[in-house]
Amino acid sequence: MPEASSPIGGTAAPAPRVFSGIQPTADSFHLGNYLGALRQWVSLQDSHEAFYCVVDLHAITVEHDPAVLRRRTKVAIAQLFAMGVDPERATVFAQSHVPEHAELAWVLGCLTGFGEAGRMTQFKDKSSKQGSAGTSVGLFTYPILQAADILLYTPEPGPDEQALRVPVGEDQRQHLELTRTLAGRFNHRFGTTFVEPEAYIPAGAAKITDLQEPTAKMSKSASSPQGIVDVLEEPGPMRKKIMRAVTDTGTEVVYDEEKKAGVTNLLRIYSALEGTAIGDLETRYAGAGYGQFKKDLAQLVLDTFTPIRERTLELLGDEAELDRLLARGAERASRVAVRTMETVRDRVGFVGRGH
Ligand code: TYM
C-alpha cells in the first residue's frame, strides 16, 4: 500500500496511529465519555498521528431528527476542540464527509458471518430495547462500519509496521475484537493489507457507572438525567447530581465493587480526575463521611468541565470557523482513506477505472 503522508505535512518517519470515534447522539458528551475515551484522545495526539471522527453515519442507526443531528454534530466537534484536541496536530472530521467509510463497511460486511454479527452484545441490548420493528439493519451492521472506520486508517503493514491504537471505554472491547478478526480475515484472503488495531482502554475509568444506578453504565441512551453528568451541564445542577449520587447506608469512603458500587464509582471518578490513587483517597476521607467527599468531588468535576463548557460556547459562536476546520479535517482524512480504499478495491478484485 502506498505510504500515507503525514496529515501535518512533510515526510517525517511514520508515527504510530490512533483512531477513535464518538457518536453525536446527545446534546453533550458525558463524564463516562470523557474519562473512558476523550481524555486519552487529547493525550495520545502528542505521540501519535491522530484521527478523530464524529460518527454521524452511526448516529442514524436509530431514529433521529435531521436538524438535531446537524446541531449535535457541530456541538460534538466544538467540545472536542474545547477539551484540547488540537486541529493542528490531530485530524478531526465528520464520518459522512469521507464516503470511503461506507464503502469499506460494505466490503467488510461481505466477510462477516450473520451469526458473528448477531453475537455483538451492544446490538442485543439496543435491539431488545427498540423491539424488532424498530431495529434497523443499520443497527445490526453498526460494528462492521466501526471496523471500517478504524481499518481505513491502518498504517502500512510489514516488518516495521506502526501500531494502530483505538482509545475507547470497556463497552467497545467486543467491537474492537471483531475489527481485529475482520482485519485478519481480509489479510488472509486477499493479502496483508491491514495492521490489526489494539484497543487502548484506560485502567480504572473504563466503565463509569450511572450515579443513580451504580451497577449500570453511565449512558446517553439509557441513563436518567439524574444518573448522568454532562460535560456542558450548568454548575448548579452538576453539583446537585453529584451530591445526590446513590451511595449506601454506611459512612466509610472505601472501595468495594460488590458492597459499595456507588462509592466505588465516585472513587474511580475522583481518582481519574485528580490523578490520585484510590488508596490515598480512602486515607484522606477516613472518618470524613460521604458529604465532604461528594462536595470535594463536585468541585473537582466543576473545575474540569467549566472551562470546557465556556470554550465550547465560544467555539459555537463562530460556525464558519468550525466548518472550515471540519472541511480541513475531511480533506486530511480523505488523503489516507482514499489510498487505503484503492488498495482494498484492487485486492478484492474490482476492475480499475483505467486511470
Ligand atoms: P459512544 O459514542 O457510545 O461513546 C464514545 C466513547 O465513550 C466511551 N464511553 C464510556 N467510557 C467509560 N464509561 C462510560 N460510562 C462510557 N460511556 C461511553 C465509549 O467506550 C467510547 O469510547 N461505537 C462507538 C463509536 C465508534 C467508534 C468507532 C469508536 C464508531 N466508530 C471507531 C472507536 C473507533 C460508540 O458508540 O461510542
Side-chain angles (χ1 to χ4, degrees), residues 156-353:
E156 180 147 14
D160 301 324
E161 74 188 21
Q162 295 293 329
L164 176 57
R165 302 201 166 96
V166 187
V168 283
E170 182 60 40
D171 60 349
Q172 299 301 312
R173 195 184 283 282
Q174 195 188 28
H175 290 171
L176 257 292
E177 271 314 308
L178 177 70
T179 307
R180 290 170 61 84
T181 302
L182 293 177
R185 194 172 295 159
F186 187 101
N187 289 346
H188 183 68
R189 293 218 190 143
F190 302 117
T192 306
T193 307
F194 299 118
V195 167
E196 288 187 18
E198 302 157 18
Y200 186 93
I201 298 179
K207 185 181 170 191
I208 300 301
T209 60
D210 185 306
L211 297 186
Q212 292 301 315
E213 268 184 73
T215 50
K217 185 182 77 163
M218 184 181 285
S219 147
K220 48 196 157 196
S221 53
S223 293
S224 69
Q226 293 313 310
I228 198 166
V229 176
D230 281 335
V231 172
L232 300 181
E233 188 132 21
E234 295 288 336
M238 192 181 283
R239 206 185 284 277
K240 262 195 204 140
K241 282 184 187 179
I242 293 172
M243 293 308 294
R244 289 180 188 164
V246 165
T247 42
D248 51 62
T249 51
T251 53
E252 290 301 303
V253 179
V254 287
Y255 188 96
D256 183 335
E257 270 183 61
E258 304 251 301
K259 297 200 191 87
K260 292 167 96 67
V263 176
T264 297
N265 187 41
L266 299 181
L267 273 168
R268 285 205 189 108
I269 296 169
Y270 203 138
S271 163
L273 285 175
E274 199 185 64
T276 306
I278 290 198
D280 292 344
L281 291 173
E282 287 172 334
T283 312
R284 190 189 299 168
Y285 288 100
Y290 295 153
Q292 187 60 43
F293 170 63
K294 285 177 167 178
K295 201 165 156 229
D296 293 349
L297 174 59
Q299 192 58 45
L300 191 56
V301 175
L302 273 169
D303 291 346
T304 309
F305 286 163
T306 302
I308 297 176
R309 180 168 54 88
E310 288 171 358
R311 182 79 188 118
T312 302
L313 296 177
E314 239 175 80
L315 289 164
L316 286 169
D318 188 352
E319 274 215 35
E321 174 63 4
L322 273 183
D323 290 345
R324 194 186 65 77
L325 290 173
L326 261 184
R328 199 173 61 165
E331 196 191 305
R332 287 178 183 171
S334 287
R335 264 185 250 155
V336 178
V338 162
R339 285 186 177 165
T340 306
M341 211 47 228
E342 274 168 11
T343 308
V344 168
R345 283 193 213 106
D346 181 55
R347 300 258 156 102
V348 166
F350 294 152
V351 173
R353 286 208 297 183

Side-chain angles (χ1 to χ4, degrees), residues 19-25 29-38 41 53 55 58 95 122 126 142 145-147 149-150 166-173 175-176 202 205-210 216-220:
F19 180 92
S20 200
I22 188 158
Q23 296 195 76
T25 42
F29 296 149
H30 61 67
L31 185 58
N33 300 138
Y34 179 74
L35 291 178
L38 300 174
W41 292 25
C53 184
V55 293
H58 280 106
Q95 188 185 31
Q122 284 217 324
K126 285 192 190 171
Y142 176 117
L145 178 59
Q146 179 163 351
D149 294 340
I150 299 166
V166 187
V168 283
E170 182 60 40
D171 60 349
Q172 299 301 312
R173 195 184 283 282
H175 290 171
L176 257 292
K207 185 181 170 191
I208 300 301
T209 60
D210 185 306
K217 185 182 77 163
M218 184 181 285
S219 147
K220 48 196 157 196

Side-chain angles (χ1 to χ4, degrees), residues 24-27 54 67-77 79:
T25 42
D27 292 328
V54 173
V68 173
L69 175 61
R70 209 167 280 128
R71 190 188 71 241
R72 288 178 170 174
T73 301
K74 296 269 174 85
V75 176
I77 295 282
Q79 282 176 97

Side-chain angles (χ1 to χ4, degrees), residues 5-9 15-18 39-52 80-81 83-93 325 328-329 332-333:
S5 63
S6 151
I8 307 157
R17 283 201 178 150
V18 60
R39 257 187 2 160
Q40 285 67 249
W41 292 25
V42 177
S43 58
L44 288 169
Q45 71 186 348
D46 294 330
S47 48
H48 290 68
E49 191 184 359
F51 297 87
Y52 298 136
L80 292 179
F81 292 142
M83 283 175 183
V85 174
D86 175 3
E88 295 305 319
R89 279 180 289 168
T91 295
V92 180
F93 65 105
L325 290 173
R328 199 173 61 165
R332 287 178 183 171

